[in-house]
Amino acid sequence: MHEIPYNAHINFDSGVIDDAQVTERRLSDMAAFYHDQEAVQRLLDDDPVLYRVYYIAQEAGSPSLWNTGVSVIEPGRVGDEYIMTKGHYHLNPEAPEVYLTLSGTGRLVLQTRQGEAKVLAMTPGAMNYIPGEWAHRTVNVGDEPLVFFAVWPSDAGYDYDTIAERGFARLVIAGDDGPQLIDNPAFIPES
Ligand code: F6R
Ligand code: ZN
């Protein structure tokens, strides 16, 4: 495959990559991912944009081609749950990913199909390595947008269905003293 060198510019504050493709997720795109359905219904009239991903994708198919992107997660909550991404496994369990936080404060929620779970901090400068077999979701626990750069192989693919059907084992919610990690009562383990 013929690769073409490129030069792209990321605005570190807004997260916008000039001339990149954009995916926008609104509350209506992911209502079922939040555990407080009454809170979802209250917010659905406005149907706010919860996050955007600016990305430059290579043609899928070869692990030596990498996609790059910047995610911008808005601050706020749906009930007691912070605004977060859907989260996914890579369809290819050999496709890892690296995140570099540019601004904001977040949590990276990780889990394997075997039931291991981890939560890592995201603050400016944090570099998070996500092995191929780990599902990953980012949660904005701060008052400003959470902005992070990501690089991943173009043959990674996305498994959103497993998370949609079973959820993550751990949830990050707003507690009295700030972000709090709880077990997800609705989680359905795979094994
Ligand atoms: C790519 C990746 C990120 C996410 C983005 C949005 O493999 O992990 O670019 O795609 O942060 O999250 P999802 O895709 O879970 O909606
Ligand atoms: Zn990913």
Side-chain angles (χ1 to χ4, degrees):
M1 180 152 319
H2 180 62
E3 286 190 76
I4 301 167
Y6 66 80
N7 185 18
H9 181 265
I10 300 171
N11 180 313
F12 278 11
D13 294 318
S14 67
V16 173
I17 307 179
D18 293 341
D19 302 323
Q21 292 178 269
V22 190
T23 297
E24 196 171 79
R25 298 269 189 238
R26 291 180 178 273
L27 181 60
S28 55
D29 298 317
M30 52 181 307
F33 287 76
Y34 285 95
H35 78 102
D36 183 342
Q37 284 301 307
E38 284 175 19
V40 168
Q41 289 310 318
R42 281 198 298 274
L43 295 167
L44 262 184
D45 274 352
D46 288 341
D47 198 12
V49 172
L50 302 185
Y51 61 98
R52 291 188 175 88
V53 185
Y54 302 88
Y55 64 98
I56 301 174
Q58 302 282 354
E59 221 171 287
S62 164
S64 66
L65 300 180
W66 295 349
N67 297 342
T68 54
V70 171
S71 301
V72 180
I73 321 298
E74 294 300 324
R77 283 157 44 179
V78 177
D80 62 0
E81 229 174 338
Y82 295 101
I83 291 178
M84 62 188 183
T85 58
K86 286 185 173 185
H88 58 270
Y89 287 94
H90 288 169
L91 282 173
N92 175 358
E94 291 180 2
E97 183 154 3
V98 173
Y99 284 178
L100 171 64
T101 304
L102 304 178
S103 59
T105 311
R107 298 285 185 274
L108 173 57
V109 182
L110 299 156
Q111 74 186 32
T112 67
R113 295 185 190 274
Q114 288 72 37
E116 263 185 284
K118 267 192 192 312
V119 177
L120 303 177
M122 298 176 80
T123 53
M127 183 177 69
N128 301 119
Y129 180 74
I130 304 166
E133 293 186 339
W134 289 71
H136 38 290
R137 161 181 285 165
T138 49
V139 183
N140 184 351
V141 301
D143 301 328
E144 54 177 316
L146 172 66
V147 182
F148 62 93
F149 173 74
V151 56
W152 68 102
S154 71
D155 71 343
Y158 299 91
D159 170 9
Y160 289 109
D161 291 350
T162 302
I163 301 302
E165 287 158 17
R166 298 170 178 275
F168 271 83
R170 318 300 300 280
L171 300 179
V172 185
I173 61 162
D176 291 341
D177 302 319
Q180 195 187 334
L181 204 56
I182 60 164
D183 288 335
N184 177 3
F187 175 60
I188 305 170
E190 288 191 63
S191 44

